[in-house]
Amino acid sequence: MVNTKEAGVNYHFKLLYAIGIVIAVANHACGGGISLFYEFFPAYSFHMGLFMFSSGYFYKDAAENNVFKYILKKLKRLIFPMYIWNFFYALFAQFMSIKGFLPQTGWGGLRALFIEPIISGHQYIYNLGAWFVVPLFMVEVFHVVYRRIFLLIKNDVKEYVCVIIALTFGMCGVYISSKGYNVGWWLVLARFLHFVPFYCTAFFIKGFWNGRIVCLMVSIFY
C-alpha cells in the first residue's frame, strides 16, 4: 500500500491522473485495444472531465477571501504562459513547415496568436493539447466568484446550492452541444458548461465526505 501522506503528495490522485492519461491516449488511438464500456460511457464525456475533477478537489476556499488576487494568480499561471507558449510554438511550427516536417499552414496572423487559443486551441496543428487551459481558467474563475456570491448563505446550504447550479450548467452544456451549438464561440461556452460540474462537485465531495468515496474508487486499482 502506498503511503498517501508521504511528503504531502496525494498518491490516490497521482494514480487517477495516470488513469486519465491512459484513457485519453487510448481514446485518441481508436480505443487502443482497451474496452472501457465506451458504448455506454463515451470517453469524450468524462476523460478530460477527470482532470477537471482533480483540479476542483484541490481547490481551497481561502481563495474566496480575495477573489481578485486569486484570478490574477490564475492569469499568471495559466493564461500568460499559454500565450507565451503559443507564440514560440508558432515560430517552431513555421520553421518545421518550411523545412518540410509539417504541412504548410501559414502564419495565421493575429487570430491564430490571440483568438484561436480561446476558441478552439487547435492552431498550429500539433498544439492541440493547449485547448484545455482556457476552459480550466474559466471554470476556476466561475467557481470562486459564484461561491463568493453565496458567501452569506449558511455554509451547508451554500454547498448544496452551488453543486445544484453546477449540475444545471453541465446539463445546459450537453443540451446546447446536442443542438449543434458547439462550434466557434459556442464551443467556448459548451466546454465551460460541460466542465463546471466536474470541478464543482469534486470540491463538494471533498468537503462533505472528506474524499472517502474518491479514495475508495481509486484504491481498487492498488
Side-chain angles (χ1 to χ4, degrees), residues 84-150:
I84 293 172
W85 165 254
N86 190 50
F87 176 76
F88 283 103
Y89 194 89
L91 296 177
F92 172 76
Q94 280 296 107
F95 174 78
M96 296 298 283
S97 64
I98 292 173
K99 296 297 183 180
F101 292 101
L102 291 177
Q104 291 284 347
T105 58
W107 174 252
L110 295 179
R111 180 179 177 86
L113 282 174
F114 298 105
I115 305 301
E116 284 302 323
I118 299 175
I119 296 179
S120 68
H122 290 179
Q123 69 283 356
Y124 307 127
I125 308 176
Y126 296 116
N127 196 29
L128 307 184
W131 72 264
F132 186 73
V133 175
V134 170
L136 175 60
F137 172 76
M138 293 175 64
V139 171
E140 288 186 324
V141 170
F142 168 77
H143 187 249
V144 71
V145 169
Y146 93 135
R147 286 185 58 82
R148 178 68 185 183
I149 292 174
F150 292 115

Side-chain angles (χ1 to χ4, degrees), residues 172-182 186-187 190-191 194:
C172 290
V174 172
Y175 177 78
I176 67 171
S177 294
S178 68
K179 297 299 180 180
Y181 295 101
N182 54 4
W186 283 107
L187 179 60
R191 285 172 172 173
H194 173 72

Side-chain angles (χ1 to χ4, degrees), residues 40-71:
F40 299 98
F41 305 102
Y44 276 110
S45 68
F46 70 87
H47 74 327
M48 295 308 298
L50 189 62
F51 297 104
M52 193 68 70
F53 180 91
S54 302
S55 297
Y57 187 85
F58 292 105
Y59 169 83
K60 295 181 174 59
D61 54 8
E64 296 155 30
N65 297 329
N66 193 327
V67 174
F68 178 78
K69 181 179 179 181
Y70 177 80
I71 295 175

